[in-house]
Amino acid sequence: MTSTLKNHPIWHNLAQTLKQLAPDQIAIQHLQACNAQINGYWDEEEFYEVISFTQMPNPELISSSLGISPVGTENAHWLQLKFALTINPSNGLDSPKHESKTTLGELILILDENLEVVDENWLIDVNSPYILTTR
């Protein structure tokens, strides 16, 4: 009898664990801790001293992954959370029933075994009217 990873209980356990962790809250806390700005950002062509948002973006989890990296004689475990950063351009003004969201970019957070952020990666639309840049 062969076993497949697709049917392994780890996936159910991971889904349950992610619900308990509230990944969107982790991202919100990270955005608040950095005052919703990025210091030192390279896009494909240019360096920006500071990138800031005209309003606090809403992080929406779009993917997650687990990893194990060998460190010495033990393994280090990490969790990667990838978020779309969106805003509602109407900013609460009389908006239609179906509010449209604008995506400003993505944020990837890498968490260690203690759920501490050990790395972050940003992909920002620097041409968005909701982004302020300082070169």
Side-chain angles (χ1 to χ4, degrees):
M1 180 169 148
T2 61
S3 174
T4 65
L5 193 54
K6 178 180 176 182
N7 298 324
H8 197 280
I10 190 170
W11 304 121
H12 177 70
N13 293 341
L14 177 58
Q16 293 295 69
T17 301
L18 280 175
K19 285 180 187 175
Q20 293 172 358
L21 289 178
D24 292 353
Q25 285 301 313
I26 292 171
I28 289 169
Q29 289 174 356
H30 187 74
L31 287 165
Q32 290 172 341
C34 66
N35 295 320
Q37 72 179 29
I38 307 162
N39 295 314
Y41 178 81
W42 276 100
D43 72 357
E44 294 88 22
E45 301 171 4
E46 198 161 348
F47 177 76
Y48 297 89
E49 200 65 37
V50 178
I51 300 235
S52 54
F53 304 96
T54 59
Q55 59 180 293
M56 180 68 81
N58 179 39
E60 298 175 5
L61 184 66
I62 54 177
S63 73
S64 60
S65 60
L66 291 174
I68 301 173
S69 301
V71 177
T73 58
E74 298 185 16
N75 290 327
H77 300 85
W78 49 266
L79 173 63
Q80 176 180 293
L81 303 172
K82 183 175 182 179
F83 302 90
L85 298 175
T86 63
I87 62 165
N88 179 358
S90 66
N91 201 15
L93 303 175
D94 297 326
S95 59
K97 286 184 179 180
H98 301 288
E99 296 179 10
S100 64
K101 295 180 184 177
T102 299
T103 301
L104 304 176
E106 296 178 352
L107 169 61
I108 298 173
L109 296 176
I110 309 292
L111 308 175
D112 66 11
E113 296 167 338
N114 299 314
L115 299 179
E116 298 290 326
V117 175
V118 294
D119 197 9
E120 63 187 80
N121 294 297
W122 301 83
L123 178 60
I124 302 298
D125 177 5
V126 294
N127 297 314
S128 169
Y130 306 103
I131 301 289
L132 304 173
T133 61
T134 305
R135 297 179 189 179

